[in-house]
């Protein structure tokens, strides 16, 4: 009897701490190297070492940093796209009833951090472009913290957090494509559209072999890189063309191309690509000048957007949805646990660092300030969220709102 593979989501929910730990270690190593007197220059030279040719004049010579941020991260976004498609067609977001609460929470969880950021920065023209930095949630870190709590965090809370993060990822991809795209090359954009059309045509023709799709993904990435749209968007677009065989309420189908690709690529994304991204982006020199800069509007806006804005938006949206009978809360979770989960959504490490680099291109000081704010806000959200969930009694019934 053939043993069908378990769901990638189930594997993630049962073994997610490993990827989060690797990401933490990679970020810590980057911080250590950036602050050791003898290693600071080595770290900088390594990250910015030129590797390979100039693919586009806009980016200049390809470096280790560019290959990871614009190349390997496209594979991470491929996984994100696969998860989005699977969840909407064959998972926890497959019906509007299941989507309603995660969508409301995710949208509010993106709007409120942006508002907090803009209020703190005072609408200063040079800083407004960073409004999206605190709007993203790092699913690996957030789920990793939940994993450390064991059965104190009910499975329904993990599933809900995953659903919120997936919708959040959709918003982040849209922001990257629409807000942080400049100087379009229409010829390259037409090439990307042609490749995408071929991929879609293969899907409609019933092509299930993954190799043609991966060749198309590589071509789509190259044309997208040249077009001026951030190259990582190619990962999500390619993922949406991968065929899927839906098996509602059952383990992933062994003959489903999407499930097979997700199972094959997810470990590389979680255990190699994301830690590498953390290593090349988290190196922040913590000298006296940087500590002074952490009190500037940009880092404070990012930190407070993540810590205050996220919990206000997500917890407030859930409370309002239950209060007005728009949706039900995750089963088996009490209000303290839901609040703790809302705090964990303020961990914005990976996506926030990614957007921070796009928001202030060529402005190293502002990127470093944003990085400091991301680290402050994410660390505070993780610690306080963990404390709240550790203290909260296990939920035994659905939270209720007293009629007012």
């Amino acid at each position: 009897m053939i043993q069908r593979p378990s769901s990638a989501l189930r594997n993630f929910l049962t073994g997610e701490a490993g990827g989060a730990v690797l990401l933490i270690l990679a970020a810590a190593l980057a911080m250590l190297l950036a602050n050791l007197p003898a290693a600071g220059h080595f770290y900088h030279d390594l990250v910015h070492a030129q590797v390979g040719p100039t693919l586009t004049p806009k980016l200049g010579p390809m470096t280790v940093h560019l290959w990871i941020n614009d190349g390997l991260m496209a594979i991470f976004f491929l996984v994100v796209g696969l998860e989005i498609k699977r969840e909407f067609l064959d998972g926890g977001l497959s019906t509007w009833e299941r989507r309603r609460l995660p969508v409301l929470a995710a949208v509010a969880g993106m709007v409120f951090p942006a508002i907090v950021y803009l209020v703190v920065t005072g609408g200063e023209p040079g800083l407004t472009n960073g409004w999206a930095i605190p709007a993203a949630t790092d699913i690996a870190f957030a789920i990793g913290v939940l994993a450390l709590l064991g059965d104190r965090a009910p499975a329904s809370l993990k599933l809900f957090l995953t659903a919120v993060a997936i919708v959040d990822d959709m918003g982040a991809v849209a922001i990257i494509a629409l807000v942080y795209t400049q100087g379009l090359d229409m010829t390259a954009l037409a090439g990307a559209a042609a490749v995408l059309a071929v991929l879609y045509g293969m899907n409609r023709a019933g092509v299930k072999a993954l190799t043609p799709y991966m060749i198309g993904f590589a071509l789509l990435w190259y044309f997208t890189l040249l077009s001026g749209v951030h190259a990582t968007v190619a990962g999500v677009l390619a993922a949406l063309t991968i065929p899927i065989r839906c098996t509602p309420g059952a383990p992933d189908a062994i003959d489903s191309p999407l499930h097979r690709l997700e199972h094959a690529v997810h470990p590389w994304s979680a255990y190699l690509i994301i830690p590498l991204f953390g290593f090349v982006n988290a190196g922040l020199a913590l000298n006296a000048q940087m500590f002074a800069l952490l009190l500037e509007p940009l880092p404070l806006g990012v930190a407070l957007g993540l810590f205050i804005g996220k919990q206000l938006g997500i917890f407030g949206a859930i409370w309002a949805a239950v209060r007005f009978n728009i949706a039900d809360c995750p089963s088996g979770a009490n209000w303290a646990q839901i609040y703790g989960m809302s705090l964990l959504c303020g961990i914005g490490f990976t996506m926030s660092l990614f957007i921070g680099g796009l928001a202030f291109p060529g402005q190293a000081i502002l990127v470093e300030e944003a990085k400091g704010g991301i680290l402050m806000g994410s660390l505070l959200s993780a610690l306080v969220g963990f404390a709240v969930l550790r203290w909260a009694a296990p939920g035994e019934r659905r939270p209720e709102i007293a009629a007012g």
Side-chain angles (χ1 to χ4, degrees):
M1 180 177 178
I2 297 176
Q3 182 75 26
R4 292 201 298 180
S6 61
S7 160
L9 176 59
R10 293 188 187 92
N11 288 340
F12 184 58
L13 294 176
T14 55
E16 65 281 354
V21 168
L22 280 178
L23 177 56
I24 292 171
L25 291 175
L29 177 60
M31 293 283 289
L32 178 64
L33 292 176
N35 287 277
L36 285 176
H41 289 297
F42 166 77
Y43 172 78
H44 182 274
D45 292 342
L46 174 64
V47 168
H48 296 285
Q50 183 175 339
V51 180
T54 298
L55 297 180
T56 167
K58 182 179 178 180
L59 294 177
M62 294 299 289
T63 63
V64 172
H65 186 269
L66 285 174
W67 277 118
I68 292 173
N69 281 30
D70 291 61
L72 290 182
M73 284 298 284
I75 300 175
F76 165 75
F77 277 88
L78 175 71
V79 175
V80 168
L82 294 172
E83 290 176 345
I84 290 171
K85 182 170 182 175
R86 172 176 47 76
E87 285 299 299
F88 270 79
L89 296 181
D90 193 33
L93 300 173
S94 58
T95 65
W96 174 243
E97 288 71 23
R98 293 179 176 181
R99 297 171 191 161
R100 188 181 295 126
L101 190 59
V103 168
L104 290 173
V107 170
M110 298 185 80
V111 171
F112 276 76
I115 292 173
V116 170
Y117 173 87
L118 292 173
V119 169
V120 174
T121 58
E124 194 173 322
L127 302 181
T128 53
N129 208 38
W131 63 269
I133 297 173
T137 293
D138 190 306
I139 185 173
F141 258 133
I143 293 289
V145 173
L146 277 182
L148 298 176
L149 292 158
D151 58 7
R152 285 184 172 272
S156 62
L157 206 62
K158 297 178 183 179
L159 289 168
F160 182 76
L161 174 57
T162 302
V164 170
I166 286 172
V167 178
D168 186 286
D169 284 344
M170 291 177 62
V173 171
I175 289 170
I176 291 168
L178 300 176
V179 179
Y180 299 119
T181 293
Q182 297 176 345
L184 290 177
D185 182 324
M186 300 309 295
T187 302
L189 198 61
V195 174
L196 189 61
V198 171
L199 289 171
Y200 176 75
M202 290 194 302
N203 180 302
R204 298 298 295 173
V207 176
K208 292 187 177 181
L210 289 173
T211 300
Y213 290 99
M214 293 301 94
I215 294 173
F217 168 44
L219 291 172
L220 181 61
W221 172 83
Y222 180 67
F223 280 116
T224 306
L225 180 74
L226 298 181
S227 73
V229 178
H230 200 274
T232 52
V233 174
V236 176
L237 294 177
L240 299 182
T241 69
I242 305 298
I244 179 174
R245 188 167 85 79
C246 297
T247 55
D252 301 342
I254 196 170
D255 60 342
S256 171
L258 185 144
H259 292 122
R260 287 191 287 115
L261 182 59
E262 186 180 3
H263 280 287
V265 179
H266 183 273
W268 292 97
S269 174
Y271 296 107
L272 178 64
I273 294 172
I274 294 303
L276 281 175
F277 174 85
F279 176 75
V280 301
N281 287 277
L284 181 67
L286 298 177
N287 50 36
Q289 180 184 8
M290 180 51 64
F291 278 114
L293 289 176
L294 292 179
L295 300 178
E296 293 294 316
L298 172 57
L300 281 179
V302 171
L304 293 178
L306 287 170
F307 182 65
I308 302 296
K310 276 291 185 181
Q311 60 173 293
L312 282 177
I314 292 177
F315 187 76
I318 296 172
W319 184 91
V322 175
R323 175 67 177 83
F324 296 105
N325 295 317
I326 297 173
D328 292 328
C329 278
S331 61
N334 57 41
W335 281 114
Q337 291 173 322
I338 292 171
Y339 176 61
M341 181 213 67
S342 303
L343 282 163
L344 292 185
C345 288
I347 304 173
F349 191 79
T350 304
M351 275 293 195
S352 293
L353 285 173
F354 192 79
I355 294 175
L358 299 178
F360 304 112
Q363 302 179 72
I365 296 297
L366 293 184
V367 171
E368 292 299 294
E369 287 186 20
K371 195 181 297 183
I374 292 164
L375 295 175
M376 284 194 300
S378 297
L379 182 61
L380 191 58
S381 297
L383 293 176
V384 177
F386 179 87
V388 169
L389 287 165
R390 181 70 178 81
W391 164 81
E396 297 179 354
R397 57 182 180 176
R398 182 179 69 83
E400 296 180 357
I401 299 288

